[in-house]
Amino acid sequence: RRRREGKTDYRARRKMVRQDKNKFNNKKYRMVVRFTNRKCICQIMYATIRGDMVVAQATSAELVKFGVPAGYKNYAAAYCTGLLVARRVLKKF
């Protein structure tokens, strides 16, 4: 269904998620950035057999707390949101 809708390219996903044989059962983290009509969403994820697990997430709408009044979908907002999710991941590990 996701292939029909054009949401997932399974050949590219398999290539991205595939792990070396000597790194069995280790997590391979990746950063996923999605743009909606109003905001930017950044997530740190890893893949498992059961599905993708999200380690940390941040949205550009949270930039209000840091003094950004508007413009949650531009390049600068995406950069700031990436920094925010990176801080959360480093705090967690």
Side-chain angles (χ1 to χ4, degrees):
R1 176 185 63 86
R2 292 186 63 86
R3 190 195 66 75
R4 276 196 319 266
E5 294 171 358
K7 291 183 178 180
T8 304
D9 179 4
Y10 282 103
R11 182 180 299 153
R13 177 179 165 76
R14 189 174 67 226
K15 184 178 179 184
M16 175 183 62
V17 172
R18 188 178 294 149
Q19 190 77 286
D20 292 337
K21 299 300 180 199
N22 60 350
K23 297 178 182 175
F24 177 74
N25 219 9
N26 285 341
K27 297 176 176 81
K28 189 173 182 182
Y29 296 101
R30 69 183 192 274
M31 184 169 182
V32 177
V33 181
R34 295 187 177 99
F35 285 95
T36 66
N37 285 336
R38 293 185 181 176
K39 60 186 175 184
C40 169
I41 302 169
C42 294
Q43 297 174 321
I44 304 293
M45 308 176 84
Y46 64 92
T48 62
I49 299 295
R50 296 183 307 164
D52 292 355
M53 302 295 171
V54 177
V55 177
Q57 171 186 331
T59 65
S60 58
E62 299 171 26
L63 297 176
V64 175
K65 297 182 232 176
F66 300 97
V68 179
Y72 301 129
K73 204 181 158 187
N74 58 19
Y75 189 85
Y79 182 84
C80 293
T81 309
L83 285 178
L84 185 60
V85 75
R87 285 180 57 192
R88 289 182 183 168
V89 167
L90 288 175
K91 188 186 287 187
K92 189 174 278 193
F93 291 116

